[in-house]
Amino acid sequence: MNIKDNASTSFAKDLKYELLFRNLGKQVFSELKGNPPGRMTTKNLVLLSKMEQHNTEVMSVVRGHFDVDNTIRCKDKILAKTVIISLKVMPDIGTRYLEGSAERFVHQLEEIQATSPEGYEEEMAYMVGHEKALYGYLVHLNKGEQQRAHAVLEQFVSENNIQ
C-alpha cells in the first residue's frame, strides 16, 4: 500500500466518524420536532433537520468517492435513542453536553478538512461551517438566548440556500 492509499484510507475513516455524528443529529432532531425538550423549539428543530438533510446531500459526493455508506445502522439508532432520552429527561444537562461535544467536533472536523484530498474544498468548508452553526446555536441556547440561537440557524440556512 502506498502513501496515497494510506491517506485515502485514513480520510475515509474520518468521513465515517463525521457521518456517525450526522446520522445522530438527523435522528435526534427529527424525533424531537414534535415535542421539543427544554429551551429547544419546533422551529429550531425544523431548521436543524433541514441542515442535517442538506449535509447528507452535500457530503454524499465525497462519501461516495471514498465508499462511505450513509446507511443508518442499529448502533446509530441506539446512540440516538440514548441522546433523545437524556434530552427529554434532563434537557439543560443534555444541551450543555451537546454544546461541549459540538465544540470538540468543530476542531476534529477542521483536522479532517486539513487532511482532505484536493477537489473537496467546498464540501469540507460546508462540513465545518455546519458544525460551527450547530455549536453557535447551542452556545446561545444554553445562555437562554433563544432568539440569537435561532438567528444562528436561520443565517446558516439562508447563506447555504437550504430548502
Side-chain angles (χ1 to χ4, degrees):
M1 189 179 273
N2 65 34
I3 293 173
K4 191 170 187 169
D5 290 340
N6 285 338
S8 290
T9 301
S10 178
F11 186 67
K13 184 178 175 185
D14 290 342
L15 289 175
K16 288 177 185 175
Y17 179 71
E18 181 266 343
L19 180 62
L20 171 73
F21 287 93
R22 296 290 57 95
N23 282 343
L24 174 65
K26 201 180 309 179
Q27 294 174 88
V28 169
F29 301 144
S30 179
E31 171 89 16
L32 294 175
K33 276 192 294 193
N35 188 14
R39 296 182 195 133
M40 291 182 168
T41 67
T42 298
K43 285 182 175 183
N44 297 154
L45 291 164
V46 165
L47 291 178
L48 288 163
S49 292
K50 286 180 179 183
M51 287 169 55
E52 293 300 341
Q53 182 57 42
H54 188 71
N55 179 280
T56 299
E57 294 165 16
V58 169
M59 293 298 293
S60 67
V61 173
V62 182
R63 292 178 186 141
H65 288 162
F66 291 89
D67 295 321
V68 175
D69 184 3
N70 286 332
T71 305
I72 294 175
R73 306 219 184 279
C74 187
K75 68 179 181 180
D76 299 322
K77 291 177 184 180
I78 292 169
L79 180 58
K81 281 295 182 193
T82 303
V83 172
I84 290 164
I85 290 168
S86 71
L87 284 169
K88 286 181 177 182
V89 174
M90 306 171 293
D92 289 339
I93 292 170
T95 55
R96 291 197 189 288
Y97 175 78
L98 288 179
E99 178 187 331
S101 295
E103 181 181 24
R104 287 185 298 279
F105 199 42
V106 165
H107 299 296
Q108 292 168 329
L109 292 179
E110 288 171 336
E111 291 173 9
I112 293 170
Q113 181 182 26
T115 64
S116 171
E118 285 186 29
Y120 300 107
E121 293 81 8
E122 191 174 313
E123 291 87 351
M124 294 296 104
Y126 177 83
M127 175 186 74
V128 172
H130 173 274
E131 195 63 24
K132 284 182 177 180
L134 175 58
Y135 172 64
Y137 161 74
L138 290 166
V139 166
H140 292 297
L141 185 73
N142 286 327
K143 288 181 180 179
E145 302 169 346
Q146 283 87 345
Q147 288 180 338
R148 287 187 73 191
H150 189 73
V152 168
L153 300 178
E154 284 182 325
Q155 180 179 353
F156 185 80
V157 166
S158 175
E159 288 174 354
N160 291 279
N161 299 314
I162 298 172
Q163 303 301 315

